[in-house]
Structure formats: structure tokens, C-alpha cells
Amino acid sequence: DAGITQSPRHKVTETGTPVTLRCHQTENHRYMYWYRQDPGHGLRLIHYSYGVKDTDKGEVSDGYSVSRSKTEDFLLTLESATSSQTSVYFCAISEFEGSRGKQPQHFGDGTRLSIL
Amino acid sequence: RKEVEQDPGPFNVPEGATVAFNCTYSNSASQSFFWYRQDCRKEPKLLMSVYSSGNEDGRFTAQLNRASQYISLLIRDSKLSDSATYLCVAYNFNKFYFGSGTKLNVKP
């Protein structure tokens, strides 16, 4: 399995509090992604990174910020958590193009976040 | 319109059956395609990449039809352990677009 660690694995917090989720990889892959997964919506991209300090928005980026100061770490921050951000959050990594096209993503185990 | 669309199922099949899933993608510029499986409350795991010429991995065969913008997955001789949700993925310009998944239940 790809070396991806998400922390924490579970978190319960209150509306209005800041929350930071961490994704750590040992594969030295260039690309890192944050998704949320909710029933009926599938996986939706929040933000992604294509290098250290290089990030871009996904389709559901409002209310989230990210940072990548090192290749191995990609942080997702909810500045002021809301109940609508209760979800399962997955981190994924991928590498450059291979000889047969884009290399696939590999996922971390996920973080279950509940905001009360 | 969603970038990638799949029939949510569920597909309920007996062991040993052959089952096929299709998925369509809306962006003709999509460059690469994949199938993932996801077990309940687990992370998605890569099942196979999908190549233009079609490819096979054991009981699994993937096909890509660029003209019609669809991808298919064929599972032969279904096992109980194949029960999962299957996610279709299209990649374009740094982003992976996931379908909502097709649920497969393989029954004894």
C-alpha cells in the first residue's frame, strides 16, 4: 500500500472551531489532493497541490484552506467549522505522467469529521 | 452536468455471474481513466487503469470508447468478495473526476 497517513482518523468538534487535518506521505509524489465524500455526492475535490507551496481549488473549496510547506505534508484547515462540513475526508497522492498516461491516485484511510 | 456519470445500482447478481458496468464522461479532453473499488467505510482502492486498446486483469476487463465517451468494466465469474461500490474516474488537467459509484452485491 502507498505510504499515506491521515491524522486524526476521527474527530468530533463544535461549530465555529478551527480544525486542521493532516496528510503525510512517504512516496515523494508531487501531487496531493483533499476530497470529501458524502452520501449521494461521491468524492468531491476540495483542494489539490502540484508542488511545495503550489495549490489550487477544487469544486467545493469554500470554507477550506490548504498549505503545503514540504513535499510530504498537505494540511487541510477548516477555519470555522460548520455542520455542513461533517463528512469523511480523504487525502490522495499521485505522480507524474507515466508512459501510458497519468499515474492513478492512491488514497489514505480517511478522516471521519463530525461537527456538532 | 456531472463530469462522470454512473448507474448507482445496486446490481444484485449470483456468484459466478458476469456483470458489466458502464460510465460516461462529459469532457472529451479527458486523458486517462481508471476504475476503483470502495468497500463500505473504507478508502477507494485502484482496481485498474483503462487503456484505449482495452485491458484485462484476471476476471476484470476494462474498455474505453472515446468516440462515445464511455468506459466499461466487465467482471466475470463474480465472487462474494467482489461486493463493493465501483467508482469510475476520468482525469483531465491535474484533476480526477469521480462518478458517484455503482454498488454491486454478489449473492451466494
Side-chain angles (χ1 to χ4, degrees), chain B residues 45-96:
Chain B
K45 292 191 175 180
L46 179 69
L47 182 64
M48 57 198 305
S49 301
V50 186
Y51 301 123
S52 297
S53 56
N55 48 300
E56 188 174 304
D57 183 0
R59 298 181 293 109
F60 299 87
T61 301
Q63 297 277 356
L64 168 63
N65 185 320
R66 285 193 182 272
S68 300
Q69 294 182 209
Y70 81 80
I71 307 143
S72 64
L73 177 68
L74 183 77
I75 305 175
R76 291 180 299 278
D77 189 23
S78 298
K79 311 290 185 192
L80 295 175
S81 58
D82 293 334
S83 296
T85 297
Y86 290 82
L87 307 174
C88 172
V89 184
Y91 169 79
N92 184 35
F93 191 61
N94 283 347
K95 296 179 183 176
F96 293 79

Side-chain angles (χ1 to χ4, degrees), chain A residues 1-2 43 90 104-109, chain B residues 34-39 42-48 84-87 89 98:
Chain A
D1 287 345
L43 280 158
F90 287 104
Q105 290 180 315
H106 297 279
F107 286 81
D109 291 340
Chain B
F34 309 92
W35 282 101
Y36 283 75
R37 72 169 278 167
Q38 186 173 26
D39 295 293
K42 296 285 194 178
E43 77 278 17
K45 292 191 175 180
L46 179 69
L47 182 64
M48 57 198 305
T85 297
Y86 290 82
L87 307 174
V89 184
F98 285 76

Side-chain angles (χ1 to χ4, degrees), chain A:
Chain A
D1 287 345
I4 309 167
T5 304
Q6 290 186 232
S7 59
R9 294 292 313 280
H10 303 270
K11 187 173 182 66
V12 180
T13 190
E14 293 184 348
T15 300
T17 60
V19 177
T20 296
L21 307 183
R22 180 182 184 234
C23 179
H24 178 79
Q25 62 146 328
T26 58
E27 306 294 322
N28 201 36
H29 282 1
R30 177 179 175 183
Y31 297 89
M32 299 185 76
Y33 305 79
W34 277 109
Y35 294 89
R36 60 178 290 174
Q37 188 172 35
D38 306 287
H41 290 280
L43 280 158
R44 292 183 291 174
L45 181 65
I46 304 171
H47 284 279
Y48 70 98
S49 170
Y50 49 96
V52 174
K53 299 192 189 307
D54 292 322
T55 65
D56 203 352
K57 295 179 180 180
E59 64 179 304
V60 290
S61 59
D62 287 348
Y64 301 94
S65 62
V66 289
S67 66
R68 190 165 178 204
S69 58
K70 299 185 289 185
T71 298
E72 57 266 35
D73 288 325
F74 192 33
L75 303 181
L76 177 70
T77 297
L78 291 65
E79 300 290 349
S80 178
T82 68
S83 58
S84 65
Q85 293 175 311
T86 292
S87 188
V88 180
Y89 291 84
F90 287 104
C91 173
I93 65 174
S94 71
E95 198 35 292
F96 287 107
E97 307 264 335
S99 60
R100 301 194 73 175
K102 178 64 177 175
Q103 296 296 302
Q105 290 180 315
H106 297 279
F107 286 81
D109 291 340
T111 295
R112 296 187 178 279
L113 178 62
S114 296
I115 300 163
L116 307 176

